[in-house]
Every structure is written in structure tokens, then in C-alpha cells.
């Protein structure tokens, strides 16, 4: 069982490291608002994964993945949210406070960053497909299917927390560079285009 768990962890690690909307959102928050805001966003992302994990173990995510109509609604809502975040970055490049030296800046309160991470994942039906389609094949034998999938969800959440938190700290160490007005404006524009690109990709994807 330990060998199977190690192999599953390796697969989940590779999937976690692949850049995606989560990294773009964390970049936007950490660069424009500071380390603390970036970490709150990571916490929201992890909460979104736990939400999908709980739905998967309960069997509800499989129903969503099997319903083309519901899947389409959630997918379009998620795509619209990513595009909304991207447009925000493009409309206000470099906007907001310069940020505190200790990275305590925020955008509308600590709940805003956490909520941004949560909503971005809660409106991502691809996670439901990923969990219901891949996790059962990776679940270690010797455990009940529900227990095996729950364990892998926790592993995925832990990997996500470690990876994105480390990424936030890397950004915070280069904070003096990123807080330069020209750099912040450029980063916001790039991140905005990336988020809109992810939104369009989500909306037009077949699954």
C-alpha cells in the first residue's frame, strides 16, 4: 500500500506543479497585495479542493460530472469568474496600496483573498472530473474506496498548500522588485491576459 501511495503522490505532485489558474490568481494577489494576501488566497484554494474532495467522497461530484447541463453551467460560471478577475487586473494595473514591508496588505479585507481562492476552485468542474476520474485509479488497495480517495484528496491539498505557499514566499523575497510601479503594472497586465486566457480555455473546452 505504501508503494501505491508513493506512486499516487508522485502523480499528484506533477499535476500540482503544472501552472494553471490557481498560480495566476496567487501571483496577482501576492504581487499586488503582499505575502499575507497571497497566503490567504492559497488557503481559499485549498478550501475549494477540500470542498470538491468532500463532494467526491460523498458521490455528488460524480453526479455533476455525469450531468452535461449542470457541468456546463458550473464551467461557464467558472470561466466568467476567471475573466472577471482578468479584466480587473487589466482595468487597474498596479492599482491599490504599495503594500507593507511585512506583506500585510489586503484588498478589501482578509476574507476577500480567501474568497477569491475558494470561488475560483469551487467554480471549476474540472476538479470534479479529475477527482472522480483519476483518484479511484490511484487509490491504494487495502483501503475502502471512499477512504482511499479521501486520503489522496488530503495529499493533493497538502501538496497544493506547500507548493503555492512556497511560491508566495519566493514572490515576497523579490517584493522590492515587484512593487516598482512599472513592474507592477506589467505584471497585472500579463496576469490579466493569462486569467482571461484560462477563462476562455475553460469555456471552450470539451470537458
Amino acid at each position: 500500500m505504501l508503494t501505491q501511495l508513493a506512486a499516487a503522490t508522485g502523480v499528484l505532485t506533477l499535476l500540482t506543479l503544472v501552472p494553471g489558474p490557481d498560480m495566476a490568481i496567487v501571483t496577482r494577489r501576492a504581487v499586488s497585495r503582499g505575502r499575507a494576501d497571497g497566503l490567504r488566497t492559497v488557503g481559499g484554494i485549498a478550501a475549494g479542493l477540500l470542498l470538491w474532495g468532500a463532494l467526491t467522497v460523498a458521490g455528488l461530484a460524480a453526479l455533476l460530472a455525469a450531468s452535461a447541463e449542470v457541468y456546463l453551467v458550473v464551467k461557464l460560471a467558472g470561466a466568467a469568474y476567471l475573466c472577471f478577475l482578468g479584466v480587473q487586473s487589466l482595468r487597474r494595473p498596479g492599482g491599490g496600496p504599495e503594500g507593507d514591508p511585512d506583506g500585510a496588505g489586503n484588498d478589501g479585507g482578509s476574507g476577500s483573498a480567501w474568497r477569491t481562492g475558494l470561488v475560483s476552485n469551487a467554480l471549476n468542474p474540472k476538479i470534479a472530473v479529475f477527482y472522480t476520474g483519476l483518484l479511484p485509479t490511484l487509490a491504494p488497495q487495502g483501503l475502502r474506496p471512499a477512504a482511499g480517495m479521501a486520503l489522496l484528496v488530503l495529499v493533493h491539498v497538502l501538496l497544493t498548500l506547500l507548493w503555492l505557499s512556497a511560491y508566495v514566499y519566493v514572490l515576497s523575497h523579490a517584493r522590492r522588485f515587484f512593487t516598482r510601479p512599472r513592474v507592477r503594472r506589467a505584471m497585472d497586465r500579463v496576469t490579466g491576459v493569462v486569467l482571461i486566457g484560462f477563462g476562455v480555455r475553460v469555456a471552450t473546452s470539451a470537458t
Side-chain angles (χ1 to χ4, degrees), residues 111-137:
S112 178
W114 187 88
R115 186 168 55 250
T116 297
L118 172 64
V119 173
S120 67
N121 264 358
L123 293 179
N124 186 359
K126 290 183 179 294
I127 299 177
V129 175
F130 166 64
Y131 278 178
T132 58
L134 181 61
L135 290 192
T137 66

Side-chain angles (χ1 to χ4, degrees), residues 166-186:
Y167 178 61
V168 169
Y169 274 95
V170 169
L171 292 177
S172 70
H173 282 297
R175 185 164 179 75
R176 181 173 297 179
F177 171 76
F178 286 118
T179 52
R180 295 176 183 176
R182 288 185 179 180
V183 176
R184 288 186 60 185
R185 286 193 293 269

Side-chain angles (χ1 to χ4, degrees), residues 133-195:
L134 181 61
L135 290 192
T137 66
L138 297 175
Q141 298 179 2
L143 294 176
R144 291 182 301 167
M149 287 192 294
L151 176 61
L152 292 185
V153 168
L154 292 177
V155 170
H156 186 217
V157 171
L158 178 60
L159 291 171
T160 300
L161 283 172
L162 292 174
W163 166 240
L164 291 180
S165 296
Y167 178 61
V168 169
Y169 274 95
V170 169
L171 292 177
S172 70
H173 282 297
R175 185 164 179 75
R176 181 173 297 179
F177 171 76
F178 286 118
T179 52
R180 295 176 183 176
R182 288 185 179 180
V183 176
R184 288 186 60 185
R185 286 193 293 269
M187 285 290 295
D188 279 347
R189 290 188 178 109
V190 170
T191 305
V193 171
V194 169
L195 285 170

Side-chain angles (χ1 to χ4, degrees), residues 38-135:
L39 292 175
R40 293 186 189 104
T41 306
V42 173
I45 290 171
L49 292 177
L50 286 173
L51 173 63
W52 279 117
L55 292 176
T56 299
V57 173
L60 298 179
L63 296 177
L64 170 64
S67 174
E69 293 79 10
V70 177
Y71 180 90
L72 178 62
V73 170
V74 177
K75 182 178 74 169
L76 292 179
Y81 186 68
L82 290 176
C83 290
F84 168 74
L85 294 178
V87 170
Q88 275 192 326
S89 289
L90 293 177
R91 288 182 60 187
R92 296 181 298 176
E98 288 295 319
D100 307 322
D102 61 357
N106 61 70
D107 182 15
S110 61
S112 178
W114 187 88
R115 186 168 55 250
T116 297
L118 172 64
V119 173
S120 67
N121 264 358
L123 293 179
N124 186 359
K126 290 183 179 294
I127 299 177
V129 175
F130 166 64
Y131 278 178
T132 58
L134 181 61
L135 290 192

